[in-house]
Amino acid sequence: MNGATASHRDDVLLELDDISMSFGKVQALAGIGMKVRKGEIHSVIGPNGAGKTVMMNCINGIYQPQIGNVNYKGEKINKLRPHKRAALGISRTFQKIELFGGMTVLDNIRLGRHMHLKTGLISGAFWKGKTQKEEIEAREFIEEEIIDFLEISHIRKKTVHMLPYGLQKRVELGRALAFDPELLLLDEPLAGLNLEEVEDMARYILDLNEEKRWKMTIILVEHDMGVVMDLSNRVLVLNFGNAIMDGTPDEVRQNPEVIKAYLGEEDLYATRR
Amino acid sequence: MDLTLLLWAVANGVMVGSIYGLIALGWVLIYKCSGVLNLAMGELTLIGAYLCLTIYTFLIKIGHPLPFASALFLTLLACIVMGYLTERIFLDRLIGEPVLTVIMMTVGLMFVFRGLVGLIWSTDTRIFDPPVFSYDAFIVGGIIIERVYLWSMVAALSLWIIFYLFFKYTPWGLSMQATADDEMAALSLGISVRFVYSAAWIIAFMTAAVGGAFLGAKNGLNISVGELSLLVLPAVVLGGLNSVPGAIVGGIVIGVLQELSGFLLDPYFPGGVKDTAPYVFMVLFLLFKPYGLWGWVRIERV
């Protein structure tokens, strides 16, 4: 299922142009370049501390790289704050779950959709007419598509912090989908899940990428090598802030440097499966 | 003991407490959204109150038919500007810095604002002249109720309802709730945290101004009104630092406590029982319920 078709098309959705970022003396990213093409699943792997999450934060705007550019659809978005980038269609999940713990599953997802409601300030404030219609449409959209898709209709009224970890991960994915993003950043979506949950989540990710309804471009940060190699069109390998290589899963598997830096530990990851 | 007098103390306490509750609401909002203890709240009260008084005096001079209501309304509009500017100029740059830095900034603001108030309005006590509310009180079931208290409560109640509707039914209110809950997630969903912080400061300015105006209309206005709104601290400690309903209930309880302790204990300890009782209560309360009545208890999962 490696979509050779996708990687040959050259319409780049997101480009990291030689970005660097350091915190004090720690160089978290040293001149990373990456091109994510429309419709592909581009994974980022690397040992802990390689700079994967820092990279996600640079794309989503929580950090702004000190050197280099982040381009989205050919436009420089370096200086945009996170909420502006979300409005452009970049959505994400977090390595450590960041949900609105006190709200229900439905409210969490609804909040994700809420920024898509477009009405004037005054009518928005007084909840009349057009706003109400949009709200109803948004609700239908959320309930029918996301909740069905992620199979979480049985917990829709439950408060999020009461749910088991695996379901919380799923709700967080649902919330990231709610504003119908074009680019989805998944930061370790499988971490801490059991085998069955991993299989479910991998299936959701694949469906999001392939199904006609979603067709999302996905950047996946993950340690689970089996899933990464199965799902990805391309894989970027990081080690201590440096990009070791960027290629198809097969190329990555055969690269001696990668094996040395990362895959040598495959036994470690194999225990999970 | 005279039951009517006791009821009178309680009724007054509820009404003056509703003003504390209102100011506490503004305080809690800033704390909830940004984790910042705003120590300049008393000074926001002062600024709002003096501004209202100035506009009131001016409106009286030109013979406006509704001087106090209009003055209050114009003050609220000014609060939008002042809240926005305060956040933008002094606090926006500190987003992402350690919370302690931001708290020290509010301490700095406290002195700056207090100095400014002294410079502009001098330090003599000023009164709303002519008085806003007539001195003939209502008598309900033998309990004497002053008009200024009654109107304070009406004002506090209507603002509570307005803010409640704001949080419940507007996208902006929802953004504020979301940011208070999880800032990182809010950012990733396209909520501007900057906007939320500005809104919190604007609302804090508004609640403080209304509170200050009524406290000033009751007793006259000088720098010590700012110290009065330090009473938000026991109020929010009681309610739990991050609970909006808690702030309101806490404010009312503190008001009642103040009036009751004045009424019951003053004969034995003449002087300032009324002023110290809330703080003594706060200390005792903290010993037994450190998270307040409705605060979030932090549970560490290992």
Side-chain angles (χ1 to χ4, degrees):
Chain A
M1 66 184 89
N2 65 45
T5 46
S7 50
H8 283 298
R9 264 188 291 129
D10 203 36
D11 43 355
V12 176
L13 185 65
L14 179 96
E15 185 188 11
L16 299 184
D17 182 13
D18 211 20
I19 60 168
S20 294
M21 178 103 207
S22 50
F23 300 92
K25 287 197 171 148
V26 181
Q27 180 93 19
L29 294 175
I32 302 290
M34 181 191 196
K35 279 183 181 164
V36 181
R37 289 168 186 82
K38 211 169 204 159
E40 69 179 3
I41 297 183
H42 203 137
S43 290
V44 180
I45 62 172
N48 287 324
K52 304 182 296 291
T53 298
V54 174
M55 202 173 121
M56 291 298 113
N57 285 345
C58 284
I59 298 173
N60 143 265
I62 290 174
Y63 296 151
Q64 292 166 357
Q66 286 135 344
I67 307 170
N69 290 325
V70 181
N71 299 319
Y72 182 70
K73 295 183 180 170
E75 277 180 47
K76 212 170 114 175
I77 57 167
N78 286 24
K79 296 278 174 237
L80 290 188
R81 285 172 177 255
H83 70 276
K84 290 271 160 71
R85 299 195 197 189
L88 289 176
I90 302 178
S91 182
R92 77 173 290 185
T93 64
F94 295 85
Q95 184 176 357
K96 290 181 195 147
I97 295 180
E98 306 273 0
L99 282 165
F100 304 116
M103 300 186 192
T104 64
V105 170
L106 203 57
D107 283 344
N108 264 276
I109 294 173
R110 211 173 267 167
L111 229 153
R113 179 70 180 162
H114 128 95
M115 62 154 287
H116 249 47
L117 304 179
K118 292 186 193 76
T119 28
L121 292 179
I122 301 301
S123 63
F126 294 104
W127 215 248
K128 290 249 170 73
K130 209 175 157 200
T131 317
Q132 200 147 27
K133 198 163 150 253
E134 278 193 15
E135 168 72 6
I136 291 164
E137 279 168 12
R139 203 166 290 177
E140 279 168 6
F141 172 87
I142 292 159
E143 288 183 6
E144 281 170 24
E145 304 203 67
I146 298 176
I147 291 186
D148 279 0
F149 174 69
L150 295 174
E151 297 157 303
I152 47 178
S153 64
H154 59 295
I155 52 161
R156 63 169 76 194
K157 291 270 158 61
K158 292 253 167 70
T159 308
V160 160
H161 68 78
M162 305 294 286
L163 295 172
Y165 186 81
L167 283 175
Q168 288 194 12
K169 278 268 185 200
R170 224 187 270 184
V171 173
E172 207 196 13
L173 177 61
R175 193 188 57 192
L177 299 180
F179 64 86
D180 219 3
E182 264 182 87
L183 178 64
L184 186 59
L185 314 178
L186 301 175
D187 197 348
E188 302 204 13
L190 309 175
L193 302 186
N194 66 32
L195 187 55
E196 192 187 337
E197 289 167 337
V198 166
E199 280 169 0
D200 283 343
M201 189 60 91
R203 181 164 49 82
Y204 296 140
I205 295 173
L206 200 62
D207 284 350
L208 285 173
N209 178 246
E210 289 184 342
E211 260 180 26
K212 216 194 308 167
R213 166 63 191 90
W214 308 101
K215 281 286 174 205
M216 284 177 192
T217 306
I218 295 172
I219 301 180
L220 173 68
V221 170
E222 200 25 77
H223 280 301
D224 192 317
M225 294 312 297
V227 173
V228 166
M229 293 302 180
D230 278 355
L231 296 187
S232 310
N233 302 107
R234 294 184 76 79
V235 179
L236 171 75
V237 189
L238 290 184
N239 197 17
F240 293 112
N242 293 294
I244 296 180
M245 77 164 299
D246 187 359
T248 64
D250 283 336
E251 287 164 2
V252 168
R253 251 188 230 115
Q254 282 148 20
N255 185 312
E257 234 185 307
V258 176
I259 295 170
K260 203 174 97 197
Y262 193 57
L263 296 184
E265 301 174 53
E266 198 168 24
D267 290 347
L268 192 77
Y269 294 99
T271 54
R272 263 271 300 284
R273 293 173 56 74
Chain B
M1 186 185 308
D2 191 338
L3 190 66
T4 322
L5 276 180
L6 189 72
L7 279 177
W8 170 79
V10 172
N12 270 355
V14 168
M15 284 183 279
V16 78
S18 62
I19 286 294
Y20 300 150
L22 184 64
I23 301 175
L25 183 149
W27 190 96
V28 164
L29 223 53
I30 292 181
Y31 181 78
K32 250 176 103 88
C33 293
S34 55
V36 171
L37 300 153
N38 173 19
L39 296 174
M41 199 68 194
E43 280 58 35
L44 305 193
T45 320
L46 275 182
I47 293 178
Y50 271 109
L51 199 62
C52 185
L53 182 124
T54 309
I55 300 173
Y56 178 75
T57 318
F58 173 74
L59 289 178
I60 289 285
K61 211 183 281 170
I62 62 167
H64 194 277
L66 271 173
F68 188 69
S70 314
L72 208 55
F73 181 72
L74 290 175
T75 307
L76 287 180
L77 289 186
C79 284
I80 296 178
V81 179
M82 291 189 298
Y84 179 78
L85 289 180
T86 307
E87 203 281 332
R88 247 328 122 79
I89 298 172
F90 299 107
L91 295 141
D92 187 57
R93 278 153 226 269
L94 297 180
I95 290 180
E97 299 294 328
V99 168
L100 191 63
T101 315
V102 191
I103 295 174
M104 288 323 288
M105 177 57 111
T106 69
V107 173
L109 284 179
M110 172 176 119
F111 288 108
V112 170
F113 285 159
R114 183 174 290 203
L116 278 178
V117 166
L119 267 179
I120 300 174
W121 286 286
S122 89
T123 48
D124 299 333
T125 302
R126 299 233 194 157
I127 51 163
F128 283 79
D129 181 40
V132 182
F133 304 103
S134 71
Y135 290 122
D136 47 323
F138 291 104
I139 299 180
V140 183
I143 304 171
I144 302 160
I145 294 172
E146 284 184 66
R147 272 166 204 268
V148 59
Y149 277 161
L150 200 65
W151 282 107
S152 311
M153 197 161 90
V154 171
L157 267 177
S158 20
L159 278 177
W160 290 340
I161 293 170
I162 289 171
F163 288 131
Y164 174 78
L165 295 175
F166 174 81
F167 287 121
K168 190 96 184 162
Y169 295 109
T170 72
W172 305 319
L174 198 62
S175 316
M176 292 184 78
Q177 281 185 42
T179 308
D181 201 333
D182 190 321
E183 193 179 310
M184 198 69 117
L187 273 173
S188 81
L189 294 179
I191 289 168
S192 163
V193 168
R194 221 185 203 183
F195 164 80
V196 168
Y197 288 173
S198 306
W201 275 86
I202 287 171
I203 293 176
F205 253 99
M206 286 174 146
T207 60
V210 172
F214 277 98
L215 291 174
K218 167 86 175 68
N219 295 327
L221 206 51
N222 59 26
I223 293 282
S224 72
V225 168
E227 272 142 35
L228 238 140
S229 49
L230 210 61
L231 281 171
V232 297
L233 288 182
V236 296
V237 162
L238 178 72
L241 294 180
N242 35 33
S243 161
V244 171
I248 294 171
V249 175
I252 292 175
V253 170
I254 293 299
V256 173
L257 191 83
Q258 226 187 5
E259 293 295 325
L260 273 185
S261 57
F263 174 68
L264 296 174
L265 299 177
D266 252 354
Y268 309 105
F269 311 97
V273 178
K274 221 174 156 177
D275 299 325
T276 45
Y279 297 101
V280 173
F281 178 70
M282 174 172 85
V283 170
L284 291 178
F285 191 82
L286 274 177
L287 287 177
F288 295 103
K289 247 183 151 331
Y291 295 105
L293 291 176
W294 291 279
W296 291 342
V297 182
R298 301 258 170 234
I299 301 170
E300 297 288 333
R301 292 220 172 85
V302 185

